[in-house]
Amino acid sequence: MTQSTSSSVRSLICGLILAGSLCAFLATDLVLPAIPTLPDILGGGVEEGQFVLASFIAGGAAGLLIFGAVSWRFDRRRLLMVTMLIFGLVSLACILVDNIWQLIGLRFLQGFFSMVPAVIGPGIIRQMFSEAGSTKAIGLLGSLEALAPALGPIAGAGLLSIGGWTLSFSILGGMGLLLAASLVLLPSWPHRQTKAEPKGSYLQLMRSP
């Protein structure tokens, strides 16, 4: 546990990790109600509309694999800040597309960069708290994250009726940029605990009985 990190800063870091994780959930759930309308607006058919969801999921799967393998090479604060900044910019770029295939491509990038909080968050929490405290903190964050699939589509439907399909992407973009700015201003951050053992790989894991 990082003793030098105050309880208020630990709570703030947990809140930022939660906000980052919610970006990934909401990028699916807020957009979901708009999917049937996108082909009429941006061209394409029902299949292309489904690809708007599928490409985000594919990007998220790639992000989990790649960032899970390489995140230990980077400063976690900087990695989270940069990826959330890119997530925010990509989300805002989705508003500017003029055909559905551009949106599908941007959604892959959106899913890819949204996975970093899920990759590095549990390790940061375990480092900041005791074993019992980290279990409670991860359980609480998981419970709050579980609300997104339930409330996200409802909120997305409301946003769709208020401002059209682009409003959800505007909010996601604002969340990403605000989170990146908050990480810049954060007063402290737990330093990574160094370990002597060599790093593993997915290939070693697959070869292990």
Side-chain angles (χ1 to χ4, degrees):
M1 179 174 64
T2 305
Q3 299 292 343
S4 59
T5 306
S6 66
S7 58
S8 59
V9 173
R10 287 197 299 250
S11 299
L12 181 56
I13 292 173
C14 287
L16 293 176
I17 292 173
L18 173 62
S21 299
L22 286 176
C23 285
F25 287 103
L26 293 177
T28 297
D29 298 319
L30 286 182
V31 176
L32 185 61
I35 294 299
T37 68
L38 292 178
D40 293 334
I41 299 171
L42 298 175
V46 176
E47 295 81 5
E48 286 78 8
Q50 295 300 319
F51 285 157
V52 174
L53 289 178
S55 62
F56 180 88
I57 296 172
L64 285 174
L65 287 172
I66 292 176
F67 287 117
V70 305
S71 61
W72 64 272
R73 298 175 180 268
F74 303 97
D75 177 82
R76 293 178 298 185
R77 180 178 184 172
R78 186 173 300 173
L79 178 63
L80 184 58
M81 179 182 65
V82 170
T83 53
M84 288 296 98
L85 174 62
I86 297 174
F87 171 86
L89 294 175
V90 170
S91 299
L92 294 177
C94 290
I95 302 171
L96 305 177
V97 301
D98 53 22
N99 69 74
I100 200 166
W101 284 105
Q102 292 176 355
L103 181 61
I104 290 170
L106 289 172
R107 286 281 286 172
F108 182 90
L109 295 176
Q110 194 184 34
F112 182 80
F113 289 106
S114 71
M115 289 296 111
V116 169
V119 170
I120 68 175
I124 294 173
I125 292 174
R126 283 196 296 268
Q127 184 178 336
M128 291 192 301
F129 297 94
S130 65
E131 183 175 352
S134 63
T135 300
K136 292 179 180 179
I138 292 175
L140 177 61
L141 292 182
S143 299
L144 294 174
E145 289 170 358
L147 295 175
L151 301 179
I154 299 174
L159 294 174
L160 180 64
S161 64
I162 294 172
W165 70 274
T166 59
L167 184 55
S168 294
F169 287 100
S170 298
I171 291 176
L172 291 170
M175 288 178 62
L177 297 180
L178 182 61
L179 179 55
S182 300
L183 288 164
V184 174
L185 300 174
L186 195 66
S188 64
W189 186 266
H191 295 291
R192 189 191 305 272
Q193 295 175 340
T194 58
K195 296 183 179 180
E197 68 267 18
K199 301 296 187 297
S201 69
Y202 289 125
L203 183 59
Q204 290 174 326
L205 180 63
M206 292 173 66
R207 287 176 175 174
S208 172

